[in-house]
Each structure stands twice: as C-alpha cells, then as structure tokens.
Amino acid sequence: MAESSILGSARGRIAATGAAVGNWYARNWRERRWFRWGNILLVLGLLAALIGWFLLSRDLPDAESLLEYETPLPTMVRGADGEIVHSYARERRIQLQYTDFPPQLIEAFLSAEDRTFFSHGGVDLFGTANAVIDYLNPARTRRAVGGSTITQQVAKNVLLSDEYSVTRKLKEMILARRIEGVLSKQEILTLYLNEIPLGRRSFGVQAASRAYFDKDVGDLTLSEAAFLAILPKAPERYGRERNQQAAIDRRNFVLEQMQRNGFITASEAAAANSQPLGLKTERAERYVDAGYFLEEVRRQLLERYGETAETGPNSVYAGGLWVRTSLDTEMQDAARDALRVGLLRYAAGKAWRVPVATLDPTKGDLTAQLASSNIGIRYKDWRMGVIVEKNGDSATIGFSDGTTHPLSNVPSAIKVGDVTAAAPSGSGYVTRTVPEVSGAFLAEDPKTGRIMAMQGGFDSRLGSFNRATQALRQPGSTIKPFVYATGLDAGMTPATQVPDQAYCVYQGAALGEKCFRNFGGGGGGTHTMRWGLEQSRNLMTVHIAADAGMEAVTNTFKRVGIGDYDNYLSFALGAGDTTVARMVSAYTALANWGRMHGEGTVIDYVQDRRGKVIWRADKRDCAGCNMAEWDGKPMPRLGISGQQVMDPRTAFQVVHMLQGVVQRGTAVRLRSLGLPLFGKTGTTSGPTNAWFVGGSPNIVAGMYVGYDQPRDLGGWVQGGNTAAPIMKEFVEATRDRWGDDEFVAPPGVLMVKVDRRSGKRVFDATPSSEPLAAVIWEAFKPDTEPPRSTRNDQIAARRNEILELIRQARIAAQPNRGPQRQEAPADFVEEQGGIY
C-alpha cells in the first residue's frame, strides 16, 4: 500500500508540473510576440535541417561499400625468373596492410592531419568550427582551411569528389559518421594511407616514398616520414624544388607537433630538423629494357581484361593483376643488342638523312613538345633532342628537361624542329644517326612455344610499331624448308636427284609464259635435295614444289602458320607476306618433331590481386597433381603440349639438311660457333629483306633487316652476310644457354651413310666431322634408302662438279660482272653462297 501511495503521489506531481509548463507556454504564446516567432523559427529551422539532411544523404554512397572497396592498383609484370620487370600504371599506387606502416610514419600523419583521430567519432567539432570561421573570413584570399579529419578525407577521396563547396563538406561529415560505424580505426587509417594523393602521380605513402626518396616506407628516416606527412595539404607545392624552404618549414612544424604529442623526444626532433629534404629528382631504373615485348603483353591483357575499372574487376590499370611472362632478361638483352649491332653495321658510313620526328616551332616551346612526345632512346650515352636553333653549320639542341647545348657535326639537311639523337662531346653534343633501316628479332622455346625475347626495332621509345609481330614481310628463301618438307612427304628423300634447270609455266593468254631462274643465273644438271637446300637453289625448289603439287605446298604453309597463300609457284620462293613471329613458330615445329604451339606465347599465367590464377597459357590438366597425400602410385605427368602439324620424321629430315646450311651452305659463317645449329638464310628481290631463321633443339630465333617502306638494301646484301651475323652476335652473348645437345631423331628414322655429292649409299667409308667430308650420315624413312654407289657414279659426280666450277669461273670472267648483283627479276631469288 505504501509503495502504491508513493507512486501515485509522484505521478500527481509530474502531472501538476506538466500542467504548469503547459500553462506557462500557452500564456507566453498569447502575450509575447517574440516568443511566438522564436518558436516558429525554431520549428522551421528543425524542419529545414531535417529536409537538408534528407536531401544531402539520400544520394550518398553506402559506407558499407568500403568493406568491399578495392584500391585501384597497377598491373605488375614478372619475367620468367619471377623478378618484377615492369608495371602498367597511370598512377603510382602500392597497397600495404596496416602492419606494414611504420609507427613513426603513422604518428607523423596523425600529428599533421588529425591528432585526435583515435578519440573522435569521425568529425572533429573544434576543427570544423575553425574551418567555418576561416571560410567566413572576408579577408581570406586563399582556399579555406579544410578542418577535415582523416575519416572525412577517406570519405572525400574514396566515395566523394574533390569539389570545393559547403555542400560537399556537409556530405563529407555525414559519411564520416557512417564510416566510423562500419570500419575500425585501423581499417580507416589503412585506406587513408593507401589512397591519399601525395603528388608526382603518387597515391598512398608507399608510392610516394618511392617517388620522392626512391625507397620503401620501412626505410624512411624520421625527417622523410615528416615530409610525406606535409604533402596532403599541398602536394604539388611542397614537392617542387623551388618551394624547398616552405617544405622544410612545414616539415619542422610537423616534427614539433610530434614532439608535443609525445611521439618523439626533443633531441630526435632537433636532429630531424637539421636534415635536408633529400628529394630525388629521378628514380633509379628498376625495369628491364624490353619495350616491344612488354607492349605485346599489354596489348594482349587489354584485349582480355580491358583498360580501366569500368571494364571489369581485373582491368590492366586498376585490377592489380600479377602477370608472369616468358621474358628471359638475359636473352632479351642479347637480342636487343645483337639487332642494334646489325642495324648499325649496315648503316655504318651512311649520312644522316631524315629526322626521327619533326616538331612544329610555331606550336610553342620545342623542348616542351619533345617532353610530351615520349620520344626517347636508351643506347649507350645517346639522348633524343630537338633542334631549337640553326645558323649555318652550327646548331643548338634542346632536350626534354628544358636544357639546351651546342651541337657539332651538324648535317646540312637538318632544320629547326627536327628530332635527332645526340651524344655528349666536350662541352656540348655531337649528332648521332639512328639507323633508318630497321628489323626485328624473336627467340622462342620450341618445346613450349614460350617467347623468350622480342625486339621489334632499334628502340621502342622511337615508336611502338612491333616489327616482330606486326610487320608483314616477304620471307624469301627461309620458306624453302617447308617446300622441301612437302617434297619429303610426297616420297622424295634428301638424296633424291632434283633438276637444277630452267622451269617455265604458262600463265594464260594475258600473262604468257613465266620462267624461273637461280640467283645470278646459271644452273644445270641434277643434284641432291640436300645440296639444293644448302645452296638455296631456286630452280630446284620450284621443281620440288611442282612435283609435290603447289596445293600441297601451300597446305604445309598453312598448317605451320606461315600464311594462307594461293597456289602459285612464286610463293614457294617466299613471295607471300608473313611475320617474324610466324616464321619462328614454323621453325619450332621442325625442331620439335613436327609439334608447334601456335604463334608462341608471351604470357605464362595471370593472377588477380589476391593471387588466384585466372588465366594460363598451358591449359593441360594434371590429374592427381593436387593430392593431399601421395598415394604411392607413379608421379602424375602432364600430357604432350602443342599440335602435331608435320610428320616427325619429315621434320627431322629437314632439320638434318638445314644443319648442312650452317656447315657448308649459305649460313656457313655460323659454323665457327661450334654448336649443333640448323637454319636458313633468306634474301628477297631488290634485295629488300635479309633473313635468318634457325637455332638449336632448345632455342629457335628469327630476324630480318629491311626498311619499313621496302626499298633496295644494296646489291651486296644477302641473308648470309647481313642477318646471319646478328644470329651469331646473339649466340655468342648467350653461349652458356645453348648447350651442346644434338638433334635427336624420332622413331622411324634410319641414319644411312651416303656420298654427299651423289646421294648414293656408301658401305666402305665412315663419316667424319669435317664439313666437306665426302661421306655423311643422312636421314631416311624406312624403305627409302638409296642404293649403293658405284665407281662410275662417283666419277660422274666428280666430273659434274668440275664442270660446274669451270662454268662459274667463266661467268665471273665475263666483262661488266663485278661483285654487284644483277637486277633481280619480278619473282623471288635467293643468294647462292657457302662452299661445297
């Protein structure tokens, strides 16, 4: 009873108080005008605030989206050895975890940006009030103080724009409160330190540390960490050398705040204050010089995944991909250098003819135009510059850094606006000539189809056109091995006697009769198929193509990926267009028992940002490879890769003959390498292209030299003296990678002793390692071996050889027949070289 009495009494008092307040409010409402208007304004203000909050927050992004937010990250590219060789990035971004940030770096940013970060709920009311006062200050001439907490900056950088307005600030505050309810303080700080823009195209502290100091955040000194902490305020100002004192003053202020907050001692602050900024103007080169290879990788990635985040989660410039490539840096360096040596060797003594590019002097500062053109070169001490002034025989050259220098050895044809190479000389620079002739080089592993090296010109900074994959060139005699392969499939053998005689075809009433001939004319008699390939005889090739059927020949070309051509005999001599990449892949089929892997691959596999493999070139399944425990059975094995495009026996027979090209044929200059190499030279009409393709059981390489707009290279140019030396340079630079492995014959091949000249079988002699040995081992398919040679056969062969030598001597003795090459016919011809 007592409790209910007390409760009733309390309720009475509350009711009486409420009635009294109500009476007071009603009386003031009736009697006082200011009271009525004050209440009306209060209600209107609350209503306006409610409407404003609704309008501001209704279109705001969901703070919970930060739980799944993916920082836009560049694609990182690794070489075959797993080392990083390049990155595809428009912004410098490197993502770290919270534990990766040094405590001192965190303390520097807290002292500079938000010292109460770990205690406020997303908005610092005191800082906001200061920002409002500064914003309303009529004397202010600069952008108002932001007053933003780290959480607000995360909201702005990740979820909002950088719009400068009160509306955005209010949205920022609302979002900051929501973010604090979704993420922990450590998660917010991790987002902030990974996303904050810090100048020099750097986002996040790790990228900025690399950009300004060329080191990782874990290696920063106290003064360097304090410098990074000043950048969010004005990164483009403090990061410039001309504002160095302002940056030092601001850095010292941050150090003072760190001391005041108890993060560092007075002695530590004083020591850091005395340090210079130590900013790096140029970063150390971290990546390899493999521009053509890496551009091909980028092109393939763009086709597969797109460019930006809008095209998919695994985009090239935002997806954070990790790409393992087949790039062999040692091979790449050797390929690049060998091709350059070959191009410079050809261009030696030739005058400066045309500029690398031409800039327009009427469009402003020429050095600025050069800087924005991205034209460059990385060869010895050469630099790319633009002629900014010319007066008679003297000129001034300017570089992309804005500096200018006197230029000597000035070509008469050069003019203001021309871009040329130059090298330091004394107190100025001297003109250097980038070869106008160009070419390409590509090396591939025949067993896997992985491209190990690719050089598509002198330097990728001079232009992105990749001549290894994009330039359609006529391969000349490098296509002949596949004509011979077709002949072997049709029943011929390396010892088959083939006519080296004129061959004419009737092409219809409009075109009349067409006759083929050898390079330099000549011919006669019959010779072994081997001899015809070693000496690259056009007439013998045409006879083989005609006997085997041109349709069968073009089908062979198509199967090995060289090209899809019409059934004309001229295509048997290399008249059709193809690329270096296709020719090299076709030759890998020869070296790999008739198996090939398409046009070769530059990407092994692709991982997403979390390390999951999302694509791989080798799609073979390995049943049992992922067993938790060994079941005691034999180790799982991968199946054979590649596609069988040729008879393995035919492929080996062709390789065996092509080894003779190196030993005593048109590529004889490679014999001194002392390696079991095979290969074929090629020279097209003009000559406009000089080729070599070949290699070993483990490496196949191909290259050509020629002008981008095909024109005569000069009568002396042949594949053997222009392209083959490039191969020699490449092999010599990578000698330890080649080994001494011989080509192994597949099942079904018989090695038979034959007379090298006649092709007849020999029983009473033993082949030697001498290139010109009379008796050699020859490869035959079962039941195709030649009969035994007779004494009369040997005498006849020797007589034919002597007659051929006499004929060639008479031709050489004729007047007006110097070392220059005769004018080439419309159809393709090939050099006749080597020794026999």
Side-chain angles (χ1 to χ4, degrees):
M1 289 292 291
E3 290 181 358
S4 61
S5 175
I6 294 172
L7 184 59
S9 177
R11 285 174 176 171
R13 287 195 298 272
I14 292 173
T17 302
V21 171
N23 292 333
W24 175 85
Y25 189 89
R27 186 173 63 253
N28 279 283
W29 181 271
R30 290 191 306 270
E31 299 175 357
R32 294 178 171 84
R33 181 181 297 178
W34 63 267
F35 185 82
R36 287 197 305 272
W37 283 105
N39 277 269
I40 292 171
L41 292 175
L42 177 61
V43 171
L44 291 175
L46 291 173
L47 183 61
L50 183 62
I51 294 172
W53 178 88
F54 173 76
L55 293 175
L56 287 171
S57 61
R58 64 175 179 171
D59 295 326
L60 287 179
D62 187 358
E64 292 190 359
S65 64
L66 291 176
L67 294 172
E68 299 179 357
Y69 175 73
E70 301 280 18
T71 299
L73 293 175
T75 290
M76 304 303 295
V77 183
R78 297 183 185 273
D81 58 0
E83 293 295 321
I84 294 176
V85 295
H86 195 66
S87 70
Y88 303 121
R90 295 197 175 105
E91 300 168 341
R92 294 189 177 110
R93 290 181 182 269
I94 303 174
Q95 188 174 26
L96 301 181
Q97 301 300 317
Y98 184 77
T99 54
D100 298 325
F101 300 116
Q104 207 165 61
L105 181 67
I106 294 176
E107 292 163 357
F109 273 88
L110 293 179
S111 298
E113 293 292 310
D114 190 358
R115 65 182 181 84
T116 61
F117 171 73
F118 282 102
S119 60
H120 63 62
V123 178
D124 182 356
L125 296 179
F126 182 75
T128 301
N130 282 338
V132 171
I133 294 171
D134 189 46
Y135 183 80
L136 296 175
N137 182 6
R140 177 176 51 81
T141 58
R142 53 179 173 77
R143 184 166 175 161
V145 173
S148 296
T149 64
I150 283 177
T151 311
Q152 288 175 260
Q153 292 184 59
V154 168
K156 179 188 71 173
N157 293 328
V158 178
L159 299 177
L160 297 174
S161 67
D162 195 30
E163 174 194 2
Y164 180 54
S165 68
V166 174
T167 301
R168 195 221 71 206
K169 181 63 68 174
L170 293 172
K171 290 181 178 181
E172 188 181 287
M173 295 170 68
I174 295 171
L175 265 180
R177 294 289 298 171
R178 293 180 179 179
I179 291 172
E180 291 277 349
V182 172
L183 301 179
S184 68
K185 290 289 187 180
Q186 287 79 7
E187 290 172 330
I188 294 171
L189 199 54
T190 299
L191 264 176
Y192 173 76
L193 293 176
N194 278 327
E195 292 290 330
I196 187 72
L198 298 174
R200 294 194 182 183
R201 296 190 301 112
S202 301
F203 289 77
V205 293
Q206 171 65 8
S209 180
R210 291 264 184 90
Y212 289 99
F213 300 110
D214 200 23
K215 60 174 65 174
D216 296 326
V217 290
D219 300 324
L220 292 173
T221 64
L222 174 57
S223 65
E224 290 168 344
F227 171 81
L228 292 185
I230 74 173
L231 293 174
K233 293 293 185 186
E236 296 304 326
R237 180 188 178 205
Y238 293 132
R240 298 184 182 276
E241 188 174 351
R242 64 173 177 265
N243 300 321
Q244 188 175 89
Q245 189 55 50
I248 291 175
D249 294 341
R250 178 66 183 172
R251 179 203 65 182
N252 293 347
F253 169 77
V254 171
L255 291 169
E256 178 185 336
Q257 294 301 308
M258 291 180 72
Q259 178 187 347
R260 180 175 298 179
N261 295 331
F263 295 140
I264 58 175
T265 64
S267 60
E268 289 175 324
N273 276 336
S274 64
Q275 296 297 315
L277 289 181
L279 304 183
K280 301 287 187 181
T281 55
E282 294 183 5
R283 296 178 64 195
E285 181 58 49
R286 297 177 181 272
Y287 301 140
V288 300
D289 185 7
Y292 292 106
F293 188 107
L294 296 168
E295 178 59 23
E296 179 64 20
V297 172
R298 189 184 78 97
R299 184 187 64 79
Q300 293 187 17
L301 290 173
L302 287 174
E303 289 180 357
R304 193 169 290 126
Y305 300 113
E307 186 171 356
T308 60
E310 289 73 22
T311 58
N314 297 316
S315 63
V316 173
Y317 289 99
L321 301 177
W322 288 88
V323 181
R324 177 65 72 92
T325 70
S326 54
L327 177 65
D328 186 309
T329 53
E330 180 186 2
M331 290 282 186
Q332 177 63 36
D333 289 346
R336 180 196 64 235
D337 294 344
L339 181 62
R340 285 177 173 176
V341 168
L343 298 179
L344 289 167
R345 182 190 299 117
Y346 171 84
K350 291 180 171 59
W352 189 99
R353 291 186 70 249
V354 296
V356 172
T358 301
L359 305 178
D360 189 349
T362 65
K363 293 185 178 179
D365 185 359
L366 287 170
T367 58
Q369 290 185 53
L370 179 64
S372 62
S373 70
N374 293 321
I375 298 173
I377 196 168
R378 190 184 300 166
Y379 176 72
K380 295 186 176 180
D381 57 355
W382 292 18
R383 299 177 68 182
M384 296 307 300
V386 58
I387 304 300
V388 297
E389 183 180 342
K390 185 183 180 185
N391 185 12
D393 294 335
S394 63
T396 302
I397 190 168
F399 298 107
S400 56
D401 59 5
T403 61
T404 59
H405 301 270
L407 182 69
S408 59
N409 191 29
V410 181
S412 59
I414 208 166
K415 61 184 183 299
V416 173
D418 284 348
V419 177
T420 185
S425 177
S427 59
Y429 280 77
V430 61
T431 305
R432 290 286 182 255
T433 302
V434 176
E436 187 183 1
V437 73
S438 195
F441 189 109
L442 188 144
E444 185 176 328
D445 182 341
K447 293 181 173 59
T448 63
R450 299 169 69 242
I451 295 173
M452 298 180 287
M454 180 191 297
Q455 187 70 12
F458 193 86
D459 196 310
S460 61
R461 297 161 197 79
L462 301 176
S464 60
F465 182 67
N466 188 344
R467 296 161 187 84
T469 60
Q470 296 175 296
L472 292 173
R473 312 293 295 200
Q474 295 162 330
S477 291
T478 58
I479 208 170
K480 288 179 181 176
F482 303 96
V483 178
Y484 281 67
T486 308
L488 293 171
D489 285 338
M492 300 179 187
T493 75
T496 296
Q497 292 287 324
V498 179
D500 184 25
Q501 299 166 3
Y503 190 92
C504 300
V505 294
Y506 183 68
Q507 303 179 106
L511 298 177
E513 188 176 58
K514 171 63 182 175
C515 293
F516 295 87
R517 67 183 182 87
N518 288 319
F519 171 80
T526 61
H527 303 276
T528 62
M529 178 184 276
R530 167 180 284 279
W531 185 86
L533 188 56
E534 289 179 355
Q535 302 304 315
S536 197
R537 304 295 282 182
N538 286 342
L539 292 176
M540 293 179 68
T541 304
V542 170
H543 277 281
I544 292 171
D547 291 347
M550 198 58 208
E551 183 177 0
V553 171
T554 55
N555 283 338
T556 299
F557 294 162
K558 188 174 181 179
R559 282 201 313 276
V560 298
I562 293 175
D564 189 1
Y565 306 131
D566 293 328
N567 300 324
Y568 297 120
L569 284 172
S570 58
F571 289 118
L573 300 178
D577 287 336
T578 189
T579 66
V580 173
R582 293 180 198 170
M583 289 305 299
V584 171
S585 290
Y587 272 69
T588 63
L590 297 176
N592 195 35
W593 287 4
R595 279 191 170 271
M596 66 178 295
H597 303 79
E599 285 193 26
T601 59
V602 292
I603 300 175
D604 290 345
Y605 58 85
V606 180
Q607 296 168 282
D608 65 16
R609 66 173 67 214
R610 293 176 181 82
K612 179 183 177 182
V613 175
I614 57 177
W615 184 89
R616 60 189 176 100
D618 189 346
K619 294 179 172 58
R620 293 175 294 171
D621 291 327
C622 184
C625 285
N626 294 323
M627 289 188 297
E629 295 181 2
W630 180 45
D631 59 3
K633 296 180 180 179
M635 181 182 296
R637 303 288 185 187
L638 288 167
I640 299 176
S641 63
Q643 180 182 3
Q644 194 74 44
V645 295
M646 294 177 64
D647 184 328
R649 301 168 301 174
T650 297
F652 178 79
Q653 285 180 298
V654 174
V655 166
H656 194 56
M657 288 190 288
L658 289 176
Q659 287 184 277
V661 175
V662 174
Q663 289 301 307
R664 53 190 165 266
T666 57
V668 69
R669 68 181 61 227
L670 299 179
R671 190 176 71 195
S672 62
L673 293 170
L675 290 172
L677 299 176
F678 80 111
K680 185 71 185 74
T681 59
T683 311
T684 60
S685 289
T688 56
N689 302 286
W691 284 77
F692 176 82
V693 187
S696 73
N698 303 312
I699 303 170
V700 174
M703 64 230 66
Y704 85 87
V705 173
Y707 291 102
D708 287 341
Q709 297 297 322
R711 68 172 191 258
D712 196 338
L713 290 168
W716 58 274
V717 171
Q718 298 176 10
N721 62 27
T722 301
I726 297 175
M727 181 67 176
K728 189 174 184 179
E729 295 268 357
F730 175 67
V731 175
E732 288 175 339
T734 56
R735 182 62 180 81
D736 59 322
R737 303 290 300 278
W738 289 78
D740 298 310
D741 296 340
E742 295 283 352
F743 290 93
V744 178
V749 170
L750 302 177
M751 302 304 295
V752 177
K753 294 184 290 184
V754 302
D755 181 276
R756 180 170 59 84
R757 297 183 179 89
S758 68
K760 296 295 183 67
R761 194 165 186 172
V762 175
F763 291 92
D764 56 354
T766 301
S768 70
S769 59
E770 289 298 318
L772 301 181
V775 178
I776 62 171
W777 289 108
E778 193 61 273
F780 294 93
K781 296 170 185 173
D783 300 323
T784 65
E785 311 94 301
R788 180 173 183 175
S789 172
T790 66
R791 179 62 178 166
N792 289 337
D793 293 329
Q794 295 174 7
I795 293 172
R798 185 60 179 167
R799 181 179 66 248
N800 289 338
E801 180 182 350
I802 293 172
L803 290 174
E804 176 66 15
L805 291 173
I806 293 172
R807 184 192 65 80
Q808 292 186 9
R810 287 176 176 173
I811 292 174
Q814 292 177 7
N816 301 323
R817 289 190 63 91
Q820 288 79 21
R821 175 176 170 176
Q822 292 181 344
E823 184 179 354
D827 286 302
F828 277 67
V829 296
E830 166 62 34
E831 73 276 3
Q832 178 180 348
I835 51 179
Y836 190 66

